[in-house]
Each structure stands twice: as C-alpha cells, then as structure tokens.
Amino acid sequence: MIGPRGSRRLRGLQQALRERGLAAAEELHYEDLLAAPQRAAEQIAARPHALVKIESPGEAPALHAALIERGWRALGAVGAPPQPLLHGELAHQHHWYAGFRDLLQSLPARAGYLNPPDDIAGMSDKLACQRRLRAQGIAIPPLLGEIDGYESLQALLREHDAGQVFIKARYGSSGAGVLAYRRNRGGREAAYGSAELSDDGGRARVFNSLRPRRYDEGARIARLIDAIAAQDAYVERWIPKPRAPDGEGDRYGGAHYDIRAVALDGFLRHRVARVGRGPLTNLHLGNRRGALAHWLDDAAMHALETATQQAAMAFPRSRMIGFDLILRDGRSWVLEANAFGDLLLDLPWQGLSTYQDQALLRAVPAPDAPPAPHAPEPVHA
C-alpha cells in the first residue's frame, strides 16, 4: 500500500487483512517516496506478484504542502513560491495536482495496481474525468465551461441562458471548492457551499468548513468565486436531486439525496444515499445516510447497478471506484468518479466493509497496454 504515514485508510485495510487472517500489507509512505523516489520501484520489483493499492494523499498537511511545492516546480517554478497555507485553507490546488500527478508518474508503469497511477491522476482532475465519462457515453450534468473568475461565470450564464449551476474546483475533493449558485432574472444571486471566505488585509482567503454557508451579497460572492477560480474551476448545470421519502418521524422531510456507489471489479457493491437539506450532500458536512434498499424498487436498483457498471467501464483498468450519482425518474447522471471512494465507515454490504471486500483480491498481471485514452489535461501555472 502506498499512502501517507498513519493514514486511517491504511489502518482500515490492514485491519481488514488481519480479520481475514492474512498477513499485513507492506506499506510505502508518500513522505519516504518523496525523499527517495527509487524506493517504489525497488519494493514493487521485489514483490512482482503483489497487489499494489495507491491511497489518497489527503489528511496529511505536511504532505499536502510538499506536493504543492513539487507541483510549483513541475510547472516551471514561475513566480514566487506558493505561500504556506493556514489550517483548512483552500489554495494552490492546481499546484497540488501537478505535484501529485508528477509523483504518480514516477511510480513503476508495470505493476499489479488496484487502480493504476494514470487512472488515479485522471479521476483527480474532475473536469478531465467528466469529459472522459461523457466521451464514453455516460450521462453527466452538462458542462458549461471553465472560468477564471466571477466575470467569466456571468458570461457563461448569459451564453447558456442558465440561472442555476454548480461551480466546482477542478482539483478539489470532498466538496472542497464546490458552490451551488443561483441568479434570477432580476440579478439577485446566492451561493451555497462549504467554503468560508476570509479577508486577510484586503486579500481574500478561502477555507474549508464543516458548516456550509450561504452568501447573498454580490461583492462577497464575486470575491469567493475569483479565489476558487484562480486555482482552476469549471461550471456545470444544476441537476435537481430527488426528494427523500417521508417517514421515520419526518427525519428526512424536505431533504434531497444523491448516491455514493462503490464499484469493485466493475460491479456495484456498497451503496448509500447521502441526504441533506442543502445542495451539498457530502456526509462529512453533517448530512445523513439513507437506506436505498428501502427507497428504491427493483427497477430503480437495477438502473443504479447498470449506471454504475457502465461508468466503471470508462476506467476498465481500475478495480475500485466510488461514483456519486443522481438517480431520478428512470435517468441517471454521474456527478463524479473517485479513485479513493471507499472510505465508507460502518457501511457493510453483504456483511463486508469496503476494506474487507478488497482484502481477498489478488493481483492481475499488468498488461502491456498503451496509455489510457483521455489522459488528464495539463494544469497551468
């Protein structure tokens, strides 16, 4: 396993291996890999038949900072070095992605990866990922285009006669840098998301927050969008989410939901409804889980299985992918593909956790294949 030292993701899979009576996996930590790039090649070469899982580099601030610096250098070290981030600050995401992609590209090309490095890079670039899904015939929310700030957003809205969209940071995760935006014919606007705008001596800074916020004042909305778009952002149409069924003491009354679905070797396994009263339904933002088995009839569940299987075919070499989907009125839209989408605690499927489900997998020999199509587009300095 390749991941940050002390990662709960690494601990989760190691625990699943113990529960299965299997030997612990050998760990290679990103921090050591940055210091000694040849270590991955040496360890993988020593165990040519091993299954190699690359985990998320998240939840490690020092590693995040190191990847930002690596990305800044990979993009030509233009301008001043990126300034250190404060706790929870969302900035330099284009540099972070460039650094992470550069690190992934340093890994051996031939290995029995659970998810190969170029697929992980492709899914970590959310715009390139959506374009790849669309090219494979997968239904996604219509993409309106990229923006470099508030004014280019307004131009896109006029061009597409749109008043309700999602603005998404191209390289964000876990809802970071995502804004649900509305503007009516009279010009009144509102933005909702987990981004907290702070004024630091006239400089706008954005922080991730566990408490979603609503912005109604035009000048603040413009500054927030400018700050997010400076790291690369794009716009997609807002697809209304289905309403959660009534019941359970009106626990879900008035709420909407989307679905996190985990595909393993191309087939739907774990699935959960993410239920919220606001536009963002990420579970870490205080939203609730819903039992899809009680909400979806056989036809709807079959539609979910089919949509997940078809989406997984866009990344045929990746064996574990988390998808966020909207399923409504017999139609489905894939909102995101996540190479690290298996962190679903206390959510068994057929008695197994996501990690227990993976613990008995065996490596598949690495094919002599050309680079995957629709590779991530280059980030810009």
Side-chain angles (χ1 to χ4, degrees):
M1 293 190 291
I2 300 174
R5 182 177 288 106
S7 164
R8 59 175 172 165
R9 293 172 178 268
L10 298 184
R11 293 197 303 269
L13 188 48
Q14 295 284 30
Q15 179 180 342
L17 292 170
R18 288 195 300 270
E19 292 167 349
R20 290 287 198 176
L22 300 172
E26 185 176 349
E27 294 187 10
L28 174 60
H29 300 132
Y30 283 121
E31 295 86 348
D32 298 329
L33 182 57
L34 286 168
Q38 76 283 0
R39 187 166 298 182
E42 293 170 353
Q43 291 190 221
I44 290 173
R47 298 179 63 183
H49 302 296
L51 178 63
V52 182
K53 184 179 185 184
I54 303 171
E55 271 294 3
S56 168
E59 302 180 336
L63 173 59
H64 190 84
L67 290 174
I68 288 174
E69 181 179 356
R70 184 186 181 112
W72 174 70
R73 296 188 185 282
L75 293 175
V78 176
Q83 295 299 304
L85 302 183
L86 300 177
H87 177 70
E89 187 173 6
L90 181 68
H92 313 313
Q93 283 297 90
H94 53 312
H95 289 133
W96 171 88
Y97 175 75
F100 184 44
R101 187 178 69 180
D102 189 57
L103 183 62
L104 290 171
Q105 289 173 341
S106 74
L107 297 174
R110 283 184 54 80
Y113 291 109
L114 182 76
N115 291 349
D118 54 351
D119 274 9
I120 292 174
M123 284 183 260
S124 298
D125 179 340
K126 296 201 301 187
L127 178 57
C129 179
Q130 291 300 89
R131 287 171 171 164
R132 178 168 175 170
L133 290 168
R134 183 178 62 186
Q136 296 293 319
I138 308 302
I140 64 168
L143 299 172
L144 303 190
E146 300 175 67
I147 59 171
D148 59 14
Y150 178 80
E151 292 303 324
S152 62
L153 167 67
Q154 299 306 315
L156 273 184
L157 297 181
R158 291 190 295 269
E159 177 185 350
H160 294 277
D161 191 26
Q164 187 165 280
V165 298
F166 271 90
I167 302 162
K168 295 189 173 182
R170 182 166 182 166
Y171 311 113
S173 63
S174 302
V178 176
L179 293 175
Y181 176 88
R182 288 190 177 100
R183 182 183 182 95
N184 65 21
R185 297 290 182 182
R188 185 176 179 181
E189 57 187 335
Y192 180 93
S194 59
E196 178 182 357
L197 180 65
S198 174
D199 191 314
D200 182 9
R203 173 189 171 197
R205 307 184 82 154
V206 180
F207 295 85
N208 288 320
S209 172
L210 295 178
R211 184 176 67 84
R213 288 165 166 76
R214 177 186 171 94
Y215 297 86
D216 297 293
E217 198 269 313
R220 285 182 61 78
I221 292 174
R223 296 190 74 202
L224 178 60
I225 292 173
D226 284 346
I228 292 174
Q231 307 166 63
D232 291 348
Y234 66 100
V235 180
E236 66 182 28
R237 285 199 182 273
W238 183 332
I239 303 296
K241 296 175 182 177
R243 191 174 297 277
D246 294 330
E248 298 190 39
D250 201 36
R251 181 184 182 191
Y252 300 114
H256 295 80
Y257 74 95
D258 62 11
I259 298 170
R260 164 60 61 89
V262 178
L264 194 63
D265 282 340
F267 293 94
L268 174 64
R269 294 290 290 172
H270 294 72
R271 73 291 305 267
V272 64
R274 309 186 306 177
V275 191
R277 298 185 185 278
L280 272 61
T281 55
N282 303 73
L283 294 175
H284 75 285
L285 298 178
N287 295 308
R288 299 177 180 270
R289 298 179 176 188
L292 285 174
H294 300 147
W295 293 3
L296 303 183
D297 59 21
D298 290 345
M301 190 63 77
H302 178 70
L304 175 61
E305 292 171 351
T306 300
T308 303
Q309 184 172 345
Q310 290 175 342
M313 291 173 65
F315 294 91
R317 296 178 301 142
S318 287
R319 303 180 64 184
M320 188 288 299
I321 310 175
F323 292 102
D324 296 338
L325 306 98
I326 291 174
L327 184 67
R328 195 189 73 238
D329 301 330
R331 295 190 61 190
S332 62
W333 295 263
V334 176
L335 306 177
E336 182 176 334
N338 188 337
F340 311 120
D342 56 352
L343 186 62
L344 294 174
L345 304 179
D346 303 318
L347 185 71
W349 170 248
Q350 296 182 344
L352 301 175
S353 72
T354 55
Y355 295 126
Q356 290 169 335
D357 222 4
Q358 297 169 56
L360 291 182
L361 292 176
R362 291 294 177 264
V364 175
D368 290 314
H374 308 292
E377 298 179 1
V379 294
H380 305 287

